[in-house]
Amino acid sequence: MADQDEDDLRMALRLSMQNPSTPEPMLQNSPPEPKRSKPRDAAASAVAGGEASVSPDDSRRLQRELMAAAAEKRMQAAKIASPSKSVTSSATAVTGSGPVKTADSAMKEKDGSLKVCKLGRELSIEEADQLFTMVFGTGVSKGILAQWSNQGIRFSSDPETSMGLVQHEGGPCGVLATIQAFVLKYILFFPHEVGKVGPSKHQNPGSGRLSKTRYVASNNFSMLTEDGRARALVKSMSEILFLCGSGDRAVIATLNNTDNGKESSSKDEIIAKALESLSIESASDLQKVLRVDTFTNEASALQRLQDTIPVFRSRMGALLFLISALLSRGLDNVQSDRDDPSLPLVTAPFGHASQEIVNLLLCGQAVANVFDGRMDLGGGMFLKGISSGVEVGFLTLLESLNFCKVGHHLKTPKWPIWVIGSESHYTVLFALDTSVQDENELEQRESQIRKAFDSQDQSGGGGFISLEGFQQVLRDASIQLPTEKVDHLCNTGFIVWSEFWQAVLNLDKSLGGLKDSSGLMGKKVFDLYHFNGIAKSDLNGSNNTAAGGEAPVQRPRLTKLKVSVPPRWTPEEFMTDVAVSSASASASSGSSESKDMEVNKPEPCQHAPLVDCVRTRWARASCNWAGDPPSIV
């Protein structure tokens, strides 16, 4: 036993002296020099040299003292070699099996003590200043700081909305809604991946499934397990952070004043107690408590996120995740993405997340615009938009008000999930059926005609072509317009898209047009779901009153919408055709045919601002729902 103790001691001393940040000669020439009496030093030499002249009790006590002294010496050397980084008992070097443990931390765990986790490195004061100013600006109010310091990433406790993240404070909804969109992606379309936490293809999960296979997810959210929701959240956070890090890295920000207890039920309580006196009012406050780790391996990032989920559930969770995303992208890269880097990312006066924050989490770049590509303003100036396709998309009420134009990338994401923007809030719209984005016959034909026209448009997107180009369009699109219609379109010397498109809509399908006398071809009917994470009074749910029936339950809102999209004709033509067809059918057919025609008429449309958002994606869609209208504020 004494020989084993001596071997263990020599191994521990060798390991504790192997500090990669300290030059080897320094380690060889500077052995640990604990303040001990001479007899102890002699005993240590005897043990190190293989002599067993001390008692077993003295040997074990000496072993603990020497290991502690070696660890202290190692930490001091590391601080000298790297003064800007905080070297703690949980080293930032990460392998596939987790953080490297020092001999000191291992001994504390052996003694049964609680291990305090000071994860990662601390930011320099310059980094903290840059980060704080970038997010909040220089004149941020205490109210806005309080909003962003009091919003955790927590799931709803209500069974019907158990898949949803709850928002209690205004401001961070842009962060929560985007995380929510990715969480829904995993819950709905990758249920097998939330069965266990493991590495996945974060760059392009489920490649090709949307275009090749129809997938209809379950809407029984009350069956979700706590573990399943947590895994969906962890995988979503990892995917977003690696997306911000261009697929190469993920930076995870956490707090240094939290305890890594072993019982998850006690972790939240310990963290809440540690945060009782924490107030973030300046860059200095942030710098004192923030710790960051960088991961290039997804398995390690997933494990760290899983371990620190209690911190993200705490009142600092939303702010910590935003900081993680910004650091994953790189602060200089974030500023380079933006059109106006002088403005704060959190907008005044109400502290809302800017479009740049939402775009960063959706596509990995903090651009300010929602159109595709970039817009050249001339003189070397341009505005940056969305450069490529996205996993989950974005629609906004502002487009229906003609304040912006959302591009194809955000309107047609890989999965039928959209963050919905209003003037003051972000919510989420989603479908269970991936086919809602599939083009029907009329939509495919429209795309074909539009592509043929655009190929001849030399006006820089002005929407008109030459007479020679017009003849080529007719040939490429196999359109047979009557001679008188061609002459009418050509009498001005050029062809305008709107007039040409109107002629195609009036042209029968057999001649290459889009007119369908039945009024049914191209009609689409499907369901959408809208989730608003703000805890409000909900009168629609089955459990709509609190205990005793005194007041409505405060909970997030989930609304099911039935959506009907008519063929892409102008409203006047569509309604005229339906009226004529209905009258004709009533005069010449029996009552059964008349009833069939009545069924084919558009359903009465309920209206809410959300419907205007839906119509930016599906023109002239009509929506119906039960109960209170869906709210996007």
Side-chain angles (χ1 to χ4, degrees), residues 550-630:
E550 295 180 356
V553 171
Q554 299 291 314
R555 66 174 188 174
R557 286 280 308 280
L558 179 65
T559 305
K560 180 179 179 180
L561 297 87
K562 183 177 181 181
V563 182
S564 177
V565 184
R568 292 190 178 186
W569 297 1
T570 63
E572 295 79 8
E573 290 175 334
F574 179 76
M575 295 308 297
T576 300
D577 184 77
V578 170
V580 170
S581 299
S582 178
S584 176
S586 298
S588 60
S589 304
S591 59
S592 61
E593 293 185 20
S594 298
K595 291 180 180 178
D596 290 340
M597 186 57 66
E598 290 295 326
V599 170
N600 293 332
K601 287 185 180 180
E603 295 182 12
C605 179
Q606 295 173 273
H607 188 265
L610 176 62
V611 177
D612 294 327
C613 297
V614 171
R615 286 175 176 169
T616 65
R617 174 61 181 84
W618 293 278
R620 298 178 52 239
S622 62
C623 301
N624 300 85
W625 55 83
D628 293 339

Side-chain angles (χ1 to χ4, degrees), residues 155 162 187 194-195 221-231:
F155 282 101
S162 61
I187 288 176
V194 300
F221 301 123
S222 62
M223 296 299 292
L224 290 172
T225 65
E226 185 70 27
D227 287 344
R229 294 190 303 176
R231 289 173 184 134

Side-chain angles (χ1 to χ4, degrees), residues 115-158:
K115 184 180 72 170
V116 176
C117 283
K118 294 184 178 180
L119 303 175
R121 70 174 182 91
E122 68 179 16
L123 294 179
S124 67
I125 190 61
E126 292 79 14
E127 289 176 301
D129 281 334
Q130 183 184 6
L131 176 63
F132 189 88
T133 303
M134 180 187 300
V135 176
F136 296 112
T138 56
V140 61
S141 68
K142 290 185 178 181
I144 290 178
L145 290 172
Q147 288 177 359
W148 282 85
S149 301
N150 287 282
Q151 180 61 64
I153 304 175
R154 287 178 173 268
F155 282 101
S156 169
S157 59
D158 173 67

Side-chain angles (χ1 to χ4, degrees), residues 409-592:
H409 292 323
L410 290 177
K411 277 188 179 175
T412 58
K414 177 177 289 187
W415 304 101
I417 306 169
W418 296 266
V419 174
I420 299 293
S422 69
E423 305 97 322
S424 60
H425 190 41
Y426 293 98
T427 54
V428 180
L429 183 74
F430 62 96
L432 306 178
D433 189 342
T434 58
S435 69
V436 301
Q437 296 205 90
D438 293 346
E439 287 188 332
N440 58 34
E441 183 180 354
L442 284 184
E443 290 170 331
Q444 291 173 353
R445 180 64 175 149
E446 178 186 351
S447 298
Q448 179 187 9
I449 296 171
R450 183 79 215 206
K451 182 178 179 181
F453 188 93
D454 288 345
S455 68
Q456 301 299 322
D457 188 351
Q458 303 299 319
S459 66
F464 58 89
I465 59 178
S466 66
L467 298 182
E468 295 78 8
F470 179 50
Q471 294 299 327
Q472 186 62 45
V473 170
L474 296 179
R475 288 191 292 270
D476 291 345
S478 301
I479 295 174
Q480 303 173 41
L481 281 173
T483 303
E484 61 273 14
K485 179 59 70 174
V486 173
D487 292 341
H488 174 72
L489 291 173
C490 295
N491 63 9
T492 59
F494 55 88
I495 311 300
V496 179
W497 164 257
S498 59
E499 295 180 358
F500 170 61
W501 180 240
Q502 193 67 42
V504 172
L505 289 173
N506 281 319
L507 186 65
D508 192 81
K509 177 185 173 186
S510 62
L511 299 175
L514 294 176
K515 188 166 186 177
D516 173 36
S517 59
S518 70
L520 299 178
M521 188 175 183
K523 182 176 181 179
K524 299 172 68 172
V525 177
F526 53 89
D527 293 332
L528 294 176
Y529 292 80
H530 178 255
F531 177 77
N532 188 342
I534 286 282
K536 293 185 176 182
S537 298
D538 184 7
L539 304 180
N540 291 337
S542 56
N543 301 319
N544 61 351
T545 55
E550 295 180 356
V553 171
Q554 299 291 314
R555 66 174 188 174
R557 286 280 308 280
L558 179 65
T559 305
K560 180 179 179 180
L561 297 87
K562 183 177 181 181
V563 182
S564 177
V565 184
R568 292 190 178 186
W569 297 1
T570 63
E572 295 79 8
E573 290 175 334
F574 179 76
M575 295 308 297
T576 300
D577 184 77
V578 170
V580 170
S581 299
S582 178
S584 176
S586 298
S588 60
S589 304
S591 59
S592 61

Side-chain angles (χ1 to χ4, degrees), residues 49-370:
E51 300 176 13
S53 58
V54 294
S55 68
D57 291 341
D58 288 341
S59 175
R60 284 191 292 272
R61 182 173 61 254
L62 180 60
Q63 177 181 349
R64 288 195 298 270
E65 293 173 350
L66 283 177
M67 290 174 68
E72 293 170 358
K73 186 70 175 179
R74 179 186 176 196
M75 293 174 66
Q76 291 173 357
K79 288 181 179 179
I80 294 173
S82 182
S84 65
K85 295 184 179 181
S86 174
V87 180
T88 65
S89 59
S90 290
T92 58
V94 177
T95 66
S97 59
V100 176
K101 295 180 180 179
T102 64
D104 186 44
S105 64
M107 185 60 67
K108 286 184 179 180
E109 288 185 346
K110 185 176 180 181
D111 291 342
S113 304
L114 285 175
K115 184 180 72 170
V116 176
C117 283
K118 294 184 178 180
L119 303 175
R121 70 174 182 91
E122 68 179 16
L123 294 179
S124 67
I125 190 61
E126 292 79 14
E127 289 176 301
D129 281 334
Q130 183 184 6
L131 176 63
F132 189 88
T133 303
M134 180 187 300
V135 176
F136 296 112
T138 56
V140 61
S141 68
K142 290 185 178 181
I144 290 178
L145 290 172
Q147 288 177 359
W148 282 85
S149 301
N150 287 282
Q151 180 61 64
I153 304 175
R154 287 178 173 268
F155 282 101
S156 169
S157 59
D158 173 67
E160 294 181 20
T161 57
S162 61
M163 83 303 166
L165 301 175
V166 182
Q167 182 182 350
H168 297 289
E169 294 288 338
C173 55
V175 174
L176 292 182
T178 310
I179 298 174
Q180 177 71 74
F182 279 88
V183 166
L184 285 168
K185 171 188 140 178
Y186 281 100
I187 288 176
L188 296 177
F189 305 118
F190 295 87
H192 59 286
E193 290 203 20
V194 300
K196 63 178 181 178
V197 175
S200 65
K201 300 293 184 181
H202 56 263
Q203 298 95 335
N204 197 16
S207 178
R209 175 179 295 181
L210 184 58
S211 60
K212 294 181 180 179
T213 305
R214 177 179 178 181
Y215 189 101
V216 181
S218 169
N219 64 349
N220 189 4
F221 301 123
S222 62
M223 296 299 292
L224 290 172
T225 65
E226 185 70 27
D227 287 344
R229 294 190 303 176
R231 289 173 184 134
L233 177 59
V234 165
K235 294 188 76 67
S236 298
M237 293 169 70
S238 175
E239 181 176 353
I240 293 171
L241 294 181
F242 272 106
L243 181 64
C244 296
S246 301
D248 298 324
R249 68 171 188 169
V251 177
I252 299 174
T254 187
L255 303 173
N256 73 339
N257 59 347
T258 55
D259 202 290
N260 191 20
K262 295 183 179 180
E263 295 295 330
S264 35
S265 60
S266 65
K267 285 182 181 179
D268 289 333
E269 299 174 2
I270 295 173
I271 292 171
K273 185 175 181 180
L275 294 179
E276 281 181 357
S277 59
L278 176 63
S279 177
I280 303 296
E281 297 183 358
S282 66
S284 176
D285 293 336
L286 200 61
Q287 192 261 347
K288 290 176 183 177
V289 300
L290 201 64
R291 293 295 182 273
V292 296
D293 270 314
T294 301
F295 297 88
T296 57
N297 177 275
E298 186 182 8
S300 299
L302 285 167
Q303 187 61 54
R304 177 56 58 87
L305 286 168
Q306 184 177 356
D307 293 342
T308 54
I309 276 296
V311 179
F312 287 101
R313 281 200 301 256
S314 77
R315 65 178 177 87
M316 290 290 292
L319 179 58
L320 286 174
F321 187 76
L322 173 59
I323 291 172
S324 299
L326 293 170
L327 294 176
S328 295
R329 177 64 177 156
L331 300 185
D332 291 338
N333 289 333
V334 170
Q335 294 295 71
S336 177
D337 290 338
R338 307 173 65 197
D339 291 337
D340 187 353
S342 66
L343 297 175
L345 291 170
V346 171
T347 61
F350 302 111
H352 298 139
S354 65
Q355 188 65 47
E356 293 149 309
I357 289 177
V358 174
N359 285 347
L360 173 66
L361 303 184
L362 286 176
C363 72
Q365 296 179 323
V367 295
N369 306 292
V370 292

